[in-house]
Amino acid sequence: MNKFICFILIIISLSSCSEYQKALKSEDLALKSKTANDLYEKGKYTKALRLYEQIIPAYRGKPQAERLFYMFSKSYYNTKQYYLAGYQFESFASSYPKSEKREEAAFLGAECFYRLSPRYSLDQIDTEKALSKLQKFIDTYPDSEYLPKANEYVKELREKLEKKAFEIAKQYYTISDHRLEYNAALKALDNFISDYPGTPFKEEALFLKFSTAYKLAINSVEYKKEDRLNLAKTMYNSFIKFNAESQFKPKADTMLATIDKELQQFSK
């Protein structure tokens, strides 16, 4: 019985392949369209795509075009060809403003750019583009059923940009070992805190800012040392004010003790 079932399945598979090959070579648009749609419904999106690519130009402006264009776009999406899918979904939403699929196409088009966003350590041009597309969708469809997902994507992408910006600022701190580099690190950390006031990295950024000011003060020329020690102490207070129970507090307290000891020489 098992052998018989396998035999039947092989026959069906060969027949299906034969129909697909026949449609590929055929000049009959109706046959190509039907075969493509059948393959799409069966989840065979790669094969369906080859047929859609052949017939889509010929169907533009015809009544069947809207459905075919949507399935064509969705096939790119389902095969994870997100650049092409994003472009096609945007084109669909623009070409069929009254379509019941327009809102979904607009969302999926924006989602494609979200999926193209790379990890934070790489260039974030696609992340910026994804944020722009998602924000446009949110503004256009404020009551959409896809709104929660769109907002979730926006939050994730913004956090990725924050992580990227923080790592850049942190790198200034990591490589700093003389006065000019300390000042560059302070500026980078200042800019980060200013640009992302609600960032989850604020605590560490404030600690790094204090630590940089500490290094600058300790290694300062004598006539500037007192002012820089006091500035570092001010930054310590800002850090502690933000979170008095910070994981970085023990290190900060050790540095503060050194600052206070250094300041004693100026009070004599």
Side-chain angles (χ1 to χ4, degrees), residues 234-245:
T234 299
M235 291 184 184
Y236 170 86
N237 291 332
S238 296
F239 161 66
I240 290 300
K241 184 177 179 181
F242 181 77
N243 184 6
E245 304 298 326

Side-chain angles (χ1 to χ4, degrees), residues 180-195:
L180 291 177
E181 288 178 349
Y182 292 144
N183 285 325
L186 284 172
K187 185 175 181 181
L189 290 162
D190 259 339
N191 289 339
F192 173 75
I193 293 168
S194 176
D195 291 342

Side-chain angles (χ1 to χ4, degrees), residues 65-76:
E66 180 183 329
R67 180 168 181 263
L68 287 174
F69 200 174
Y70 170 80
M71 296 167 81
F72 177 47
S73 305
K74 196 72 179 291
S75 294
Y76 276 130

Side-chain angles (χ1 to χ4, degrees), residues 18-248:
S18 176
E19 289 174 5
Y20 170 63
Q21 292 298 329
K22 180 181 177 181
L24 272 179
K25 298 173 183 177
S26 175
E27 298 296 324
D28 186 343
L29 288 178
L31 174 62
K32 286 180 180 290
S33 176
K34 181 181 183 306
T35 305
N37 291 344
D38 287 345
L39 289 167
Y40 176 92
E41 295 299 337
K42 292 175 182 177
K44 298 180 179 180
Y45 303 112
T46 301
K47 287 184 175 181
L49 263 175
R50 290 192 64 190
L51 291 169
Y52 285 136
E53 287 169 347
Q54 290 182 351
I55 64 176
I56 285 293
Y59 274 99
R60 291 188 183 278
K62 296 182 179 181
Q64 308 98 311
E66 180 183 329
R67 180 168 181 263
L68 287 174
F69 200 174
Y70 170 80
M71 296 167 81
F72 177 47
S73 305
K74 196 72 179 291
S75 294
Y76 276 130
Y77 176 85
N78 287 332
T79 52
K80 299 183 179 180
Q81 299 182 64
Y82 295 122
Y83 273 117
L84 292 169
Y87 170 79
Q88 294 298 343
F89 277 127
E90 285 190 341
S91 182
F92 177 90
S94 174
S95 300
Y96 302 100
K98 296 182 180 180
S99 173
E100 64 178 18
K101 295 288 189 180
R102 185 174 187 265
E103 181 181 319
E104 180 188 358
F107 171 72
L108 291 177
E111 185 186 50
C112 285
F113 289 97
Y114 158 80
R115 295 190 180 280
L116 289 166
S117 172
R119 63 181 183 272
Y120 80 89
S121 59
L122 300 178
D123 188 280
Q124 294 300 303
I125 290 176
D126 283 330
T127 301
E128 296 280 6
K129 190 180 293 185
L131 275 171
S132 175
K133 302 289 185 184
L134 285 162
Q135 193 58 57
K136 181 180 178 182
F137 173 81
I138 290 168
D139 293 341
T140 305
Y141 301 99
D143 300 317
S144 173
E145 64 178 292
Y146 303 106
L147 192 64
K149 201 66 180 177
N151 284 327
E152 179 185 322
Y153 289 157
V154 166
K155 181 176 181 293
E156 182 181 333
L157 293 174
R158 284 178 176 164
E159 287 177 353
K160 186 183 293 187
L161 290 179
E162 286 183 17
K163 176 71 171 174
K164 174 77 171 181
F166 176 65
E167 290 300 325
I168 290 173
K170 189 175 180 179
Q171 188 173 21
Y172 278 95
Y173 168 82
T174 303
I175 65 174
S176 61
D177 61 3
H178 60 75
R179 181 177 58 81
L180 291 177
E181 288 178 349
Y182 292 144
N183 285 325
L186 284 172
K187 185 175 181 181
L189 290 162
D190 259 339
N191 289 339
F192 173 75
I193 293 168
S194 176
D195 291 342
Y196 303 98
T199 178
F201 304 109
K202 187 171 183 177
E203 177 184 324
E204 186 174 357
L206 286 169
F207 169 72
L208 294 179
K209 186 178 172 183
F210 162 63
S211 180
T212 304
Y214 166 82
K215 290 178 182 178
L216 178 61
I218 293 299
N219 294 287
S220 179
V221 292
E222 201 64 25
Y223 75 95
K224 290 186 177 181
K225 197 166 191 177
E226 183 178 9
D227 287 341
R228 287 176 173 172
L229 287 168
N230 282 318
L231 178 61
K233 196 165 183 177
T234 299
M235 291 184 184
Y236 170 86
N237 291 332
S238 296
F239 161 66
I240 290 300
K241 184 177 179 181
F242 181 77
N243 184 6
E245 304 298 326
S246 171
Q247 61 175 314
F248 304 109

